[in-house]
Amino acid sequence: MKICCIGAGYVGGPTMAMIANKCPDIEVTVVDINADRIAAWKTDDLPIYEPGLLNIVQGARGRNLFFSTEVDRAIRLADIIFVSVNTPTKMFGEGAGRASDLQYWELCARRIKEVSTSDKIIVEKSTLPVRTAEAMERVLHSGDNEVHFEVLSNPEFLAEGTAVSDLEDPDRVLIGGHETDSGQKAVELLVNIYAKWIPKDRILTSNVWSSELSKLTANAFLAQRVSSINAISALCEATEADVADVSHAIGTDSRIGPKFLKASVGFGGSCFKKDILNLVYLCETYGLHEVAAYWQKVVDINEYQQSRFVKNIVQSMFDTIAGKRIVILGFAFKANTGDTRESPAIKVCNELSAEHAELVISDPQALKNAAVDLKELKNVRLEEDPYKAAEGADALALLTDWDEYKDLDFKKVYQSMRKPAFLFDGRNVLDHQELFNIGFEVYSIGKGRLSHLD
Ligand code: NAD
Ligand code: UGA
């Protein structure tokens, strides 16, 4: 059996490496129009930073895992084609700023139709609006091509930074297919591929529309939990409650559960915002305005939380940060990735820069992306070494929960900074009392401030 995956990004690369690793009898070819990305997948300097991924890739590369820019050839030879291209928020025309931009997906569908000479199963791996498969089937079966295409939905639930364990041992795999004979046969084929390493009771099947909608809903629910606790963090700051205590107290209720209740400077990542905006747009398209407004608030609270963090910095530093040096500890949207898409650090840096602060950005993996994200800003310096970054600075703002920041020698850091030295912990990962004892002015999310200035 031959599999082709169109799109060698954060999803296509790791998911196909795992399938190739677990199924040595299947030949897997990952294709992309981005030649640099494909070239990097062929080296040990992979195009994405993901712990454990290199091992998985090395285990199958050259044996039954191949990376190529020959898109047409891989399509023609494949029995199953996963489409894992980007589906960003549409930035023009109808639905601009909310709807999903499906142009890359449709281009793939047209290419598949154009070059295929045998029947194929097309798997939606990208996150797509509910009922996209219907539109894609129309494209695939338009004209006089005799070939039959069976479209399945198989959304991906991996999180960056833990992609390898998420793929190896997922909570579930979801496969949606049509309730026709050919649809069910295709579902069974895909179920049997995943069953090579995932217990069958964790492989869920449904119709295509439920599968498509489940992906958007899962991301909306996860993001909603973060926005809910972040909304409560603002109330904690006003009332001397501690958001960590509140989070722990509610999370021990087995009906609520402890995960995704960590207050922060806000959620980032390429998908939460775009998928919720897409859900909002879909609801509005179906005339469900109240439902749309409900989900829109999850995104609104996230923007509010980021701006609130900056406002707190400005107010704490005597209402002016013009000319003051602020070190950003962590630019990635979460730890263990170099990905900065929709990272809260982007909005925070833009707002700090608008106040004429001088910025020094430090991150173990994301500086290359940070340079692109901040290229319009003046007075920005990139410095990987956090100790050098902190020299002569007025404040530190921790925005990514990298482990290495928890282990910094903060006495040394404090000594090299200008006084009063401020620390704003946007992830609540540091020992605030200890930092206060060292001499820092300490501000965090949803907790009382620790100040020597009162
Ligand atoms: P990405 O931008 O990292 O990768 C997409 C790749 O598709 C790019 O390399 C691009 O060059 C390629 N591409 C675009 N059009 C193409 C075409 N016509 N032919 C060949 N290649 C083409 O995106 P990603 O983060 O991997 O996300 C892909 C999809 O998976 C999105 O729909 C996203 O919502 C979803 N998703 C992402 C994650 C995640 O953690 N990043 C998790 C689950 C689901
Ligand atoms: C998320 C989902 O967790 C995946 O299941 C999904 O497949 C993926 O989106 C996707 O569709 O792209 P990801 O964005 O990689 O994965 O990372 P998460 O761990 O979900 O974190 C998202 C953001 O929320 C990060 O900025 C993180 O720091 C923040 N977060 C998370 C919090 O602020 N508090 C929490 O308690 C949890």
Side-chain angles (χ1 to χ4, degrees):
M1 190 194 293
K2 285 190 169 61
I3 288 179
C4 156
C5 174
I6 310 180
Y10 285 86
V11 168
T15 50
M16 291 304 120
M18 188 58 73
I19 289 179
N21 220 276
K22 302 291 184 184
C23 311
D25 52 322
I26 300 178
E27 188 178 307
V28 181
T29 305
V30 189
V31 294
D32 205 295
I33 43 175
N34 183 335
D36 291 344
R37 238 181 185 181
I38 289 297
W41 280 111
K42 292 180 180 176
T43 69
D44 286 351
D45 190 13
L46 301 183
I48 60 172
Y49 173 71
E50 189 62 55
L53 181 60
L54 183 59
N55 258 344
I56 302 291
V57 170
Q58 282 172 334
R61 196 169 51 191
R63 177 189 72 186
N64 65 325
L65 174 64
F66 303 95
F67 295 93
S68 167
T69 49
E70 288 184 68
V71 179
D72 290 359
R73 182 169 187 275
I75 291 175
R76 204 173 300 117
L77 294 176
D79 305 294
I80 304 179
I81 301 173
F82 286 79
V83 183
S84 185
V85 297
N86 36 328
T87 50
T89 302
K90 193 176 170 197
M91 296 316 283
F92 53 89
E94 183 65 27
R98 290 176 307 160
S100 203
D101 186 347
L102 296 176
Q103 60 171 311
Y104 308 105
W105 230 97
E106 191 182 321
L107 270 175
C108 291
R110 288 183 185 279
R111 203 71 221 136
I112 292 169
K113 173 187 164 283
E114 190 80 20
V115 303
S116 293
T117 50
S118 59
D119 293 356
K120 294 181 196 306
I121 295 170
I122 311 300
V123 184
E124 296 178 346
K125 199 47 152 168
S126 303
T127 302
L128 296 164
V130 58
R131 295 202 81 88
T132 299
E134 194 176 30
M136 292 308 154
E137 275 158 358
R138 283 209 202 110
V139 171
L140 288 163
H141 287 130
S142 61
D144 53 5
N145 196 336
E146 296 283 286
V147 170
H148 176 74
F149 298 102
E150 191 62 46
V151 178
L152 299 179
S153 161
N154 172 219
E156 184 48 59
F157 296 102
L158 70 78
E160 289 176 30
T162 53
V164 171
S165 55
D166 292 343
L167 289 169
E168 192 137 39
D169 188 23
D171 287 347
R172 71 345 200 153
V173 165
L174 178 59
I175 300 170
H178 289 304
E179 281 136 353
T180 55
D181 280 352
S182 61
Q184 289 307 300
K185 248 173 88 181
V187 169
E188 200 185 320
L189 192 77
L190 195 51
V191 166
N192 286 332
I193 292 176
Y194 283 111
K196 293 260 170 65
W197 78 98
I198 297 163
K200 272 222 167 136
D201 60 355
R202 280 199 250 152
I203 305 176
L204 314 181
T205 57
S206 72
N207 73 24
V208 179
W209 322 128
S210 306
S211 174
E212 288 177 335
L213 186 55
S214 297
K215 173 62 197 177
L216 290 184
T217 308
N219 273 359
F221 268 59
L222 290 169
Q224 177 263 120
R225 284 174 68 96
V226 179
S227 275
S228 294
I229 199 68
N230 281 345
I232 295 299
S233 76
L235 189 56
C236 286
E237 286 163 34
T239 58
E240 291 183 34
D242 181 325
V243 76
D245 292 342
V246 174
S247 181
H248 180 65
I250 65 166
T252 48
D253 184 328
S254 61
R255 294 168 302 174
I256 296 175
K259 293 183 182 168
F260 270 73
L261 286 182
K262 209 159 176 340
S264 66
V265 59
F267 61 74
S270 62
C271 295
F272 276 2
K273 183 174 170 190
K274 94 168 159 64
D275 291 351
I276 296 173
L277 291 176
N278 187 209
L279 191 63
V280 167
Y281 181 70
L282 278 168
C283 291
E284 276 176 358
T285 306
Y286 287 99
L288 304 169
H289 302 295
E290 287 79 1
V291 185
Y294 174 76
W295 289 109
Q296 178 65 47
K297 276 288 165 218
V298 173
V299 174
D300 294 348
I301 286 288
N302 198 48
E303 310 278 322
Y304 163 76
Q305 185 75 347
Q306 293 168 46
S307 295
R308 212 169 67 76
F309 186 76
V310 173
K311 216 166 149 186
N312 199 359
I313 293 180
V314 177
Q315 277 175 358
S316 316
M317 295 178 77
F318 318 114
D319 289 312
T320 175
I321 54 170
K324 291 184 183 166
R325 192 182 300 166
I326 300 179
V327 177
I328 304 298
L329 288 179
F331 200 85
F333 81 96
K334 62 187 281 196
N336 297 318
T337 177
D339 195 353
T340 62
R341 290 177 292 178
E342 295 296 337
S343 177
I346 299 174
K347 187 172 161 71
V348 167
C349 286
N350 273 288
E351 292 189 9
L352 291 174
S353 178
E355 293 283 344
H356 295 185
E358 192 188 309
L359 300 177
V360 185
I361 318 293
S362 195
D363 190 290
Q365 293 292 339
L367 288 188
K368 225 158 113 185
N369 284 331
V372 178
D373 296 330
L374 302 180
K375 65 177 184 303
E376 308 287 329
L377 300 190
K378 286 193 203 123
N379 280 330
V380 176
R381 180 160 69 84
L382 306 177
E383 173 55 69
E384 193 172 326
D385 182 341
Y387 294 104
K388 280 194 193 143
E391 277 168 23
D394 297 280
L396 309 174
L398 188 147
L399 301 186
T400 313
D401 45 344
W402 285 104
D403 275 344
E404 36 268 78
Y405 296 146
K406 297 174 201 163
D407 300 332
L408 285 179
D409 177 349
F410 278 102
K411 266 194 192 135
K412 182 172 154 188
V413 171
Y414 178 77
Q415 277 157 11
S416 74
M417 289 174 68
R418 288 213 312 167
K419 311 294 179 312
F422 291 83
L423 192 144
F424 301 90
D425 184 355
R427 295 283 177 178
N428 285 354
V429 288
L430 303 177
D431 183 336
H432 300 146
Q433 190 58 49
E434 192 188 313
L435 290 164
F436 175 70
N437 293 344
I438 289 172
F440 280 103
E441 297 295 302
V442 185
Y443 296 78
S444 45
I445 304 278
K447 290 165 184 271
R449 64 200 178 104
L450 297 171
S451 173
H452 303 277
L453 301 172
D454 294 334

